[in-house]
Amino acid sequence: MSLSRRSALKTLAAAGAAVASTVAPAHAREPKQAPADAVGLLYDATLCVGCKACMVACREANGLKPEDPESRWDSPDSLSGNTKNIIKYYSDGEQSSFMKMQCMHCVDPGCVSACMLGAFQKREHGIVTWDGSKCVGCRYCQIGCPYGVPQFEWNAALPKIVKCELCAHRIAEGGIPACVEVCPRQAVIYGTREELLAEAHRRLEAEPERYEAKVYGEFDGGGTQVLYLAPRGVQFASLGLPDLGTRSVPSLPETIQHAVYKGFIAPIALYGVLAVSVWRNRRQPPADDAAAENREA
Ligand code: SF4
Ligand code: SF4
Ligand code: SF4
């Protein structure tokens, strides 16, 4: 059944009014703290040699297909629906560094806050996971993540959101993340957030000339469970780790939060109101629309 012009206009007017009434101003809230048993990774870029064994191990441990199944070579250059872990090489001509990128397992994650259906959750040990049974594919998690981590399976018939889940399936069985297990240089290590922070500060203190004087993720963006050390003279921002300040995205009272929240409340409310309005219009006798069309003519 198609809607008449009048019905369609009524529907859109009702939708607009309802949406306007649902978009309340976003308010700041207190940032969350890491759970006492939070686990994570410490990546020391000064130890990494860029062998990419961690990328191969991540793919195998998580059942991810190669980027191009037709090709004999697999060399992804960014996170994608098939790649949860990427090693990149940075050089500005004078300084250089490798960089490992995967989900940061934020202490107060923007993806969890942006997903109103609860598909993204912070679970045991503070690991952030995605539940496909609750996801409707709106991809607001992608907008909510300040690191650009969640990826969408564009080519799949039933697309999933893909990101590192800290090899939670291996941890649950008493194992450790695959990328950690294979790293020949211990450039990435696994432990509780507390242990990793202590180790990072121990390294900074022991060799201050080797490192940038900061552990990225200790406070950045409200803190993360994946922590970084960078070579002296290489800015974290150059490696793709943005300067977020110390507050988490969900606790920000200002522009970022407004952009994210207003961006997702309005469309969902609009779809809801349209669905209800269409359902109501479908219940009206056809004569109503016919008579109305005749009066308009
Ligand atoms: S890095 Fe992005 S996807 Fe991972 S927990 Fe943080 S906000 Fe979520
Ligand atoms: S923790 Fe597991 S899923 Fe995450 S990057 Fe390492 S191997 Fe990949
Ligand atoms: S396996 Fe270790 S050394 Fe090799 S690229 Fe990964 S983090 Fe770097």
Side-chain angles (χ1 to χ4, degrees), residues 63-144:
L64 298 165
K65 293 181 193 146
E67 290 294 332
D68 180 1
E70 310 270 304
S71 170
R72 287 167 183 252
W73 303 97
D74 187 36
S75 185
D77 59 6
S78 59
L79 297 177
S80 75
N82 295 321
T83 300
K84 295 184 176 186
N85 174 42
I86 193 93
I87 294 286
K88 290 188 172 186
Y89 177 68
Y90 163 82
S91 173
D92 64 7
E94 290 182 9
Q95 304 278 354
S96 65
S97 174
F98 289 103
M99 171 63 186
K100 181 180 188 297
M101 196 69 217
Q102 71 295 293
C103 176
M104 304 289 282
H105 297 277
C106 302
V107 168
D108 190 1
C111 58
V112 171
S113 190
C115 181
M116 68 175 71
L117 295 171
F120 269 90
Q121 291 283 336
K122 207 161 167 63
R123 299 186 194 277
E124 293 79 14
H125 307 296
I127 298 172
V128 178
T129 60
W130 173 80
D131 178 352
S133 69
K134 295 182 178 164
C135 178
V136 293
C138 68
R139 295 187 284 118
Y140 285 111
C141 52
Q142 291 186 310
I143 300 169

Side-chain angles (χ1 to χ4, degrees), residues 83 118 147 213 223 257:
T83 300
Y147 298 102
Q257 191 194 23

